[in-house]
Amino acid sequence: VRSWSPARARRVNASRRACLVARFGFLYAQERLDAEILLRTFISDMETVQRIIYTAAVESFYAAKVAFWKLRIRVKETLSLDHMGPGSLEDAVLDYIVRHKDLYDIHASVHEVILSMTVNPKISCPPEVDFIVISTLIRELCSLAFSMQTLIPPLDIAFGVDGELFNKSMYYRSFDSDFTADFVAYHIWPALMENGAVIVKGEVVTKR
């Protein structure tokens, strides 16, 4: 059994962080495009498709964070009864959640995300289509977002608003953007953040 040490904990955290950041990039580069292809079989308007995927990302992170906070409270209450160290109780809680990720009810989060998207007035699917068609992407996003909460510090996505001033340090412009426009028409993919700093840029469409 390996003894606990702050140095080893930091190395493990850094290694997991690198893997999760890379996974975020893969979701953007591959899984997002797969979801686009699926949605385009039902929806012809590309802006609508991209808005749906962005909303799925935002809702997935929110649902996963809420689930993590609830689980952390439960685990902390349990471990506090006999925690003796050597690390802090908070460290023990995070380590326990990392080693028992099956405690996360990801199916419930996916359901919550789809429900939230269904009542979101900014996006819509044809009556014969359900957002469940991109449940694979939603599941991957929830899983990733949950794991990112176990890092020290945790990673999160930036909250984007239509019409916000374009920030080149946070976003790339899409290829079909108006590169002279100063404001964001809509978001394609969120930026990944750590303590308020951009780790991975997101993507937006800018138009006049």
Side-chain angles (χ1 to χ4, degrees):
V1 177
R2 293 180 178 176
S3 59
W4 185 91
S5 72
R8 179 175 180 274
R10 285 193 294 271
R11 289 195 301 272
V12 171
N13 188 76
S15 177
R16 290 182 55 247
R17 177 185 178 278
C19 290
L20 293 174
V21 170
R23 188 173 160 199
F24 182 80
F26 176 79
L27 286 180
Y28 167 74
Q30 186 60 55
E31 298 286 348
R32 174 183 65 91
L33 298 181
D34 291 344
E36 276 189 7
I37 292 171
L38 276 173
L39 287 171
R40 286 300 296 274
T41 61
F42 307 104
I43 304 169
S44 60
D45 181 53
M46 189 61 173
E47 177 178 334
T48 300
V49 168
Q50 291 176 329
R51 283 182 179 274
I52 288 172
I53 292 174
Y54 176 77
T55 302
V58 172
E59 293 291 349
S60 294
F61 265 78
Y62 177 76
K65 285 189 295 182
V66 170
F68 174 80
W69 294 333
K70 291 179 179 179
L71 180 58
R72 184 175 63 178
I73 291 172
R74 284 167 39 208
V75 171
K76 187 173 183 178
E77 289 176 347
T78 301
L79 296 186
S80 64
L81 299 176
D82 56 3
H83 177 70
M84 301 295 291
S88 68
L89 176 59
E90 288 295 337
D91 289 337
V93 169
L94 290 180
D95 184 60
Y96 186 90
I97 294 175
V98 169
R99 289 185 290 109
H100 299 84
K101 285 192 291 186
D102 57 309
L103 292 175
Y104 173 37
D105 187 355
I106 194 168
H107 299 290
S109 287
V110 172
H111 176 74
E112 290 170 12
V113 170
I114 293 174
L115 184 61
S116 295
M117 292 175 67
T118 301
V119 298
N120 190 315
K122 288 188 176 182
I123 57 174
S124 63
C125 264
E128 70 276 10
V129 183
D130 192 286
F131 289 120
I132 198 170
V133 297
I134 57 168
S135 59
T136 298
L137 175 65
I138 294 171
R139 181 184 176 87
E140 289 298 316
L141 282 164
C142 287
S143 175
L144 176 63
F146 184 87
S147 294
M148 284 182 168
Q149 304 315 299
T150 65
L151 296 172
I152 304 174
L155 300 182
D156 200 358
I157 55 174
F159 180 73
V161 180
D162 290 354
E164 68 179 295
L165 186 66
F166 173 70
N167 183 344
K168 65 180 181 180
S169 66
M170 183 173 289
Y171 299 111
Y172 295 110
R173 297 178 196 260
S174 65
F175 73 93
D176 56 345
S177 289
D178 180 344
F179 281 72
T180 65
D182 295 325
F183 298 97
V184 174
Y186 64 93
H187 298 72
I188 293 176
W189 193 252
L192 187 63
M193 312 290 289
E194 181 183 59
N195 276 344
V198 179
I199 302 301
V200 180
K201 286 186 179 182
E203 184 178 358
V204 299
V205 175
T206 55
K207 293 180 180 178
R208 288 190 178 277

